[in-house]
Amino acid sequence: MKNNFLWGGALAAHQVEGAYDKDGKGLSIADVMTAGTKDKPRKITDGIKANYFYPNHQAINFYDHYKEDIDRFSELGLKSLRVSIAWTRIFPTGEESEPNQRGINYYHDLFKYMRKNNIEPMVTLSHFEMPYSLVKKYGGWRNRKMIGFFFKFSKTCLDEFGDEVKYWLTFNEINNQSLTENPLFAFTNSGIIFNEDEDREKVVYQAAMYEFVAGAKVVQYAHSLQKKLKVGCVVAASPYYPNTPNPNDILKAQRMNELQYFYSDVQARGYIPELIKKIWERRHYQLDITEDDLTELKKGIVDYIGITYYLTSTVSADNNIAKVGSGNAAGNDTVENPYLKRSEWGWTIDPAGLRYYLNEMYHRYHLPIFIVENGIGAVDKITDDGKIHDDYRIAYLRDHILEMEKAIEEDGVDVIGYDVWSPVDLVSFTTGEMKKRYGLIYVDYDNAGKGTGKRINKDSFYWYKQVIESNGEKL
Ligand code: BG6
């Protein structure tokens, strides 16, 4: 592995910070999402309602304890840490003309503290966050006005933090919203609440187009500001495999993959793929896309691709084969893959799929790739010795890192960094649980937010520490 390889970890503001109404922060879309479970979806409420528990309000209270957590990340040896900026700490409703100085100060302090600990910050501008006020007033990314609001927020962040942060990401997992059967994704990606009977796919395509334009403007602005700034996109890697060699299965898998690649194609190539244009034409979609938008896309190609990788899915063209779904992560129209085990939350475990996907992405775009999330959500137990022996997490991470190393060394893929999701336990995005733990560091909070908040290093912490120290040799 190259000496400058960025071994890191990733977090998102709403899943760790808590302090949801502190220091002038406005209400974010994550603040109106209740707790769910594997089988019970999270609810999106109309504002904050009594008698509901909102896990992101407290999360793991990173906002007040970030120094303690970063001290541990430093002991772990992280070279890089991906965080996100809560838009509502900077612009509480999204419409203010001046930013909230207390929010700005918080992130300056955070980035300075990371740098003091030799941790390279990476920032996602929109990790499932936007001011709730913009959802209520404008319907979120249904509205072209969002381009301006997002650009103002991003420009403020780049102006303020451009000297402290080199690596930027625009929208987290922008392709999730294509899974329209789960309304959570359109809400968290784009602040969209579907109306009954509307064509959900059309709504999502339009929102994505506005997001692409906004992202392209951010890329251009960053480059005009400082040459060293690198802006990437983030796609959830969810490769689809054909169930059999039947050409119909192969075509179906290819189609499913292409529908996902749309999101990276536009951001990495600067134009809308022909297949997607054909779909719009056949469905008579008249989307609001101007000539200026298309020019922006061309000028705003990203510098690198961020991928989050958890699972793969298998699809069949044969309707008689039972659909089993891919947990709550990659759609319902998928069938069992007998070669893969699943996590306790039903997500397939497929290390070789990471190598497959890295090859797909790299040979398609020839842009550097940063694996900005990879990890396993599992139930952890504290044993009598007061420790957490999470050998299942070590096995998962080891197997994936091995496949990444093969992609780099044997296949020539340019991977510049790898982030564990996550260095510390946090609130699960899809379920709102604490019980679905991802961290290398345990946090003593339960699903109801009860506990001391105490941190304990798990076995995986010491394992990843030696992986970093040996630059990926000791696995
Ligand atoms: C990704 C997100 O989808 O997967 C993270 O970027 C999320 O925010 C992670 O936490 C794991 O998903 P979950 O639902 O298990 O927390």
Side-chain angles (χ1 to χ4, degrees):
M1 301 289 281
K2 287 189 188 145
N3 283 336
N4 58 356
F5 188 79
L6 289 168
W7 294 101
L11 312 170
H14 67 104
Q15 291 172 272
V16 294
E17 284 180 1
Y20 83 105
D21 58 355
K22 205 169 168 183
D23 292 341
K25 179 178 170 296
L27 207 60
S28 149
I29 54 172
D31 297 326
V32 298
M33 287 166 54
T34 66
T37 62
K38 176 168 172 273
D39 307 307
K40 188 175 138 229
R42 301 182 77 173
K43 273 202 183 70
I44 298 159
T45 55
D46 187 7
I48 296 178
K49 302 280 177 212
N51 302 327
Y52 281 111
F53 173 61
Y54 297 93
N56 303 77
H57 288 190
Q58 171 185 274
I60 61 160
N61 214 353
F62 181 80
Y63 188 80
D64 292 314
H65 292 277
Y66 73 86
K67 288 197 174 155
E68 179 198 335
D69 286 327
I70 288 175
D71 288 346
R72 278 182 197 263
F73 300 165
S74 168
E75 184 196 342
L76 175 61
L78 289 193
K79 294 187 187 303
S80 161
L81 179 67
R82 174 184 176 218
V83 296
S84 66
I85 293 182
W87 186 340
T88 49
R89 290 200 192 281
I90 310 296
F91 291 103
T93 67
E95 292 194 273
E96 294 79 2
S97 51
E98 292 303 319
N100 169 28
Q101 196 54 45
R102 284 177 292 173
I104 302 257
N105 294 346
Y106 169 71
Y107 289 108
H108 271 307
D109 291 346
L110 177 66
F111 301 141
K112 283 207 184 91
Y113 202 68
M114 283 190 212
R115 288 233 168 261
K116 193 173 152 214
N117 283 282
N118 297 318
I119 298 175
E120 176 82 42
M122 168 183 261
V123 168
T124 318
L125 287 160
S126 173
H127 193 128
F128 305 156
E129 297 245 23
M130 75 173 71
Y132 183 59
S133 171
L134 297 180
V135 172
K136 293 299 280 181
K137 264 179 100 170
Y138 300 102
W141 284 93
R142 287 175 187 271
N143 196 312
R144 178 177 275 278
K145 280 199 163 72
M146 284 297 296
I147 299 176
F149 296 134
F150 181 73
F151 184 71
K152 178 182 65 179
F153 159 64
S154 303
K155 179 178 179 301
T156 305
C157 292
L158 288 160
D159 289 343
E160 282 289 340
F161 311 121
D163 289 335
E164 289 150 12
V165 180
K166 173 177 165 194
Y167 291 101
W168 295 82
L169 295 160
T170 50
F171 299 94
N172 185 55
E173 296 187 336
I174 189 167
N175 55 323
N176 281 354
Q177 55 195 327
S178 66
L179 302 168
T180 53
E181 75 256 27
N182 184 347
L184 186 75
F185 292 134
F187 186 67
T188 49
N189 274 156
S190 299
I192 284 171
I193 297 169
F194 291 123
N195 301 320
E196 235 173 85
D197 297 336
E198 74 180 330
D199 182 340
R200 292 182 175 194
E201 291 190 18
K202 182 176 176 193
V203 173
V204 160
Y205 276 125
Q206 180 66 74
M209 285 309 302
Y210 290 148
E211 284 158 359
F212 294 146
V213 173
K217 285 166 86 83
V218 171
V219 172
Q220 293 171 68
Y221 183 72
H223 291 165
S224 72
L225 196 64
Q226 293 197 42
K227 284 256 170 318
K228 66 158 201 213
L229 300 183
K230 303 281 177 216
V231 186
C233 57
V234 189
V235 283
S238 50
Y240 291 94
Y241 297 149
N243 192 40
T244 71
N246 181 328
N248 290 329
D249 283 354
I250 299 200
L251 275 170
K252 173 146 185 182
Q254 183 188 48
R255 171 58 56 100
M256 300 286 280
N257 284 322
E258 289 291 336
L259 293 179
Q260 295 298 314
Y261 294 158
F262 161 59
Y263 290 86
S264 41
D265 280 355
V266 177
Q267 298 177 87
R269 290 175 165 164
Y271 59 88
I272 304 163
E274 285 69 27
L275 171 76
I276 300 295
K277 286 202 253 180
K278 277 284 169 202
I279 292 175
W280 295 348
E281 196 184 303
R282 268 206 318 281
R283 296 183 187 172
H284 307 290
Y285 288 174
Q286 300 288 334
L287 300 183
D288 170 28
I289 304 169
T290 66
E291 281 306 313
D292 285 349
D293 291 343
L294 298 176
T295 311
E296 295 287 359
L297 298 181
K298 266 197 205 113
K299 292 197 296 193
I301 290 175
V302 290
D303 301 303
Y304 65 103
I305 315 267
I307 70 159
T308 65
Y309 181 82
Y310 293 90
L311 49 78
T312 55
S313 300
T314 302
V315 290
S316 168
D318 180 350
N319 287 329
N320 295 317
I321 298 190
K323 302 287 192 302
V324 292
S326 309
N328 42 14
N332 295 333
D333 191 22
T334 62
V335 303
E336 195 60 65
N337 184 331
Y339 300 97
L340 303 180
K341 293 205 173 82
R342 287 177 182 254
S343 76
E344 288 159 282
W345 271 263
W347 293 20
T348 54
I349 300 175
D350 183 5
L354 174 60
R355 181 177 181 185
Y356 167 80
Y357 191 79
L358 287 170
N359 273 276
E360 287 286 291
M361 285 284 113
Y362 189 62
H363 302 305
R364 196 171 177 103
Y365 306 121
H366 276 101
L367 285 174
I369 300 179
F370 204 123
I371 300 172
V372 295
E373 287 180 31
N374 177 230
I376 184 164
V379 176
D380 291 331
K381 292 209 173 58
I382 304 184
T383 44
D384 291 343
D385 54 2
K387 297 189 172 159
I388 296 108
H389 301 297
D390 55 343
D391 46 328
Y392 38 90
R393 183 167 293 107
I394 294 174
Y396 180 98
L397 296 173
R398 174 190 294 126
D399 293 349
H400 284 77
I401 290 174
L402 271 171
E403 294 295 328
M404 170 187 77
E405 292 185 348
K406 285 187 211 160
I408 297 171
E409 280 151 25
E410 296 178 33
D411 310 336
V413 177
D414 183 12
V415 183
I416 54 177
Y418 170 90
D419 286 340
V420 167
W421 185 271
S422 166
V424 62
D425 286 345
L426 34 66
V427 174
S428 155
F429 150 56
T430 49
T431 70
E433 294 167 294
M434 273 304 291
K435 185 179 157 196
K436 190 179 186 189
R437 294 180 184 273
Y438 280 91
L440 310 183
I441 300 166
Y442 185 88
V443 178
D444 178 32
Y445 281 130
D446 65 15
N447 278 354
K450 301 261 178 346
T452 60
K454 186 179 161 205
R455 274 59 164 159
I456 306 169
N457 298 344
K458 304 180 192 175
D459 285 359
S460 55
F461 178 98
Y462 299 102
W463 172 81
Y464 193 49
K465 185 175 162 65
Q466 69 162 28
V467 173
I468 300 176
E469 271 165 9
S470 66
N471 196 18
E473 286 291 316
K474 280 199 196 146
L475 289 167

